[in-house]
């Protein structure tokens, strides 16, 4: 399968161990569990560039777990974000963002998101509230769902669920305040894409 080429069993074991150590695995009654697909899971961002243009980039090769119980209107998602995967398409800009001026990737190599509550509008996922650990600090955020769906994947031969979410965070809350006194905006828009395949028994 396509996923197996990019996400080996060893990587899955490491990712699940990391999530578990942070209390990021949740067991919901009667919930199906989905392993997040790194090819369809990412966190992208846009940030103002001194009131002129907009810079954009993203974090990739994410791992984690999704649990979903639509009948009970409950869910859970835990994400592990490797900060070294940051990419804007510009090597110099990537290096600066990874430096101590911004994300300080050497000191804080991983970020995490753990949901604490799912909100529904009828049968549709409306928003997910959770805790974002970034730059050594943890604060609550709410991800607004722009879409969420489940389908039978013809490639993976199992059910897949996922969606797109958006939020705007104040980076200074996480101690990232470089250039805010010079006119660079503190607000960062995040676009979070998650999709996972239903877990099968490992043999």
């Amino acid at each position: 399968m396509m996923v197996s080429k990019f996400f080996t069993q060893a990587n899955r074991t490491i990712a699940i161990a990391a999530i578990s150590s942070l209390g990021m695995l949740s067991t919901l009654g009667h919930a199906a569990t989905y392993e997040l697909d790194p090819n369809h899971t990412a966190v992208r961002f846009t940030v103002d560039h001194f009131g002129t243009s907009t810079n954009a980039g993203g974090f990739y090769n994410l791992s984690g777990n999704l649990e979903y119980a639509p009948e009970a209107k409950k869910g859970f998602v835990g994400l592990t974000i490797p900060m070294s995967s940051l990419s804007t398409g510009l090597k110099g800009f990537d290096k600066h963002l990874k430096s101590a001026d911004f994300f300080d990737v050497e000191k804080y190599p991983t970020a995490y998101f753990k949901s604490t509550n799912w909100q529904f509008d009828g049968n549709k996922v409306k928003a997910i509230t959770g805790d974002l650990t970034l730059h050594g600090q943890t604060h609550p955020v709410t991800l607004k769902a722009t879409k969420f769906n489940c389908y039978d994947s013809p490639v993976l031969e199992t059910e897949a669920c996922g969606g797109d979410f958006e939020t705007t965070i104040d980076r200074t809350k996480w101690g990232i305040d470089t250039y805010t006194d010079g006119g660079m905006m503190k607000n960062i828009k995040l676009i979070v894409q998650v999709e996972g395949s239903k877990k099968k028994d490992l043999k």
Side-chain angles (χ1 to χ4, degrees), residues 94-112:
D94 292 350
K95 183 177 180 180
H96 193 192
L97 289 178
K98 292 177 183 180
S99 75
D101 284 346
F102 290 97
F103 293 111
D104 201 355
V105 171
E106 185 175 348
K107 186 176 181 179
Y108 306 106
T110 312
Y112 304 95

Side-chain angles (χ1 to χ4, degrees), residues 4-190:
S4 64
K5 295 179 181 179
F6 301 95
F7 200 40
T8 64
Q9 180 60 44
N11 289 336
R12 285 196 289 265
T13 301
I14 292 171
I16 291 173
I19 294 172
S20 181
S21 68
L22 290 166
M24 292 177 66
L25 288 178
S26 170
T27 302
L28 299 175
H30 308 294
T33 301
Y34 304 81
E35 187 175 86
L36 295 184
D37 176 0
N39 299 304
H40 296 95
T41 301
V43 175
R44 299 177 177 88
F45 64 87
T46 59
V47 60
D48 170 80
H49 191 243
F50 297 98
T52 57
S53 57
T54 300
N55 287 326
F59 299 92
Y60 304 92
N61 299 316
L62 277 63
S63 57
N65 243 36
L66 169 70
E67 296 178 28
Y68 185 48
E71 297 84 1
K73 291 184 171 54
K74 292 183 178 180
F76 173 82
V77 63
L79 290 174
T80 298
I81 307 166
M83 300 301 289
S84 61
S85 69
L86 184 153
S87 177
T88 63
L90 301 170
K91 291 183 179 180
F93 190 34
D94 292 350
K95 183 177 180 180
H96 193 192
L97 289 178
K98 292 177 183 180
S99 75
D101 284 346
F102 290 97
F103 293 111
D104 201 355
V105 171
E106 185 175 348
K107 186 176 181 179
Y108 306 106
T110 312
Y112 304 95
F113 175 79
K114 178 180 71 172
S115 70
T116 54
N117 184 55
W118 283 42
Q119 301 173 31
F120 287 76
D121 181 4
N123 294 323
K124 294 183 178 181
V125 177
K126 181 180 179 181
I128 295 176
T129 300
D131 294 321
L132 174 63
T133 299
L134 172 69
H135 204 246
Q137 299 188 38
T138 301
H139 297 286
V141 299
T142 297
L143 305 178
K144 181 181 178 181
T146 58
K147 65 169 70 173
F148 190 91
N149 190 39
C150 295
Y151 69 101
D152 292 325
S153 172
V155 176
L156 303 177
E157 297 181 347
T158 186
E159 184 183 48
C161 288
D164 293 334
F165 302 85
E166 295 181 354
T167 191
T168 299
I169 65 171
D170 175 353
R171 62 187 173 99
T172 64
K173 289 185 177 181
W174 283 265
I176 306 173
D177 58 5
T178 301
Y179 298 147
T180 53
D181 58 352
M184 187 173 181
M185 299 296 289
K186 62 183 181 180
N187 291 333
I188 299 177
K189 182 178 180 179
L190 301 179

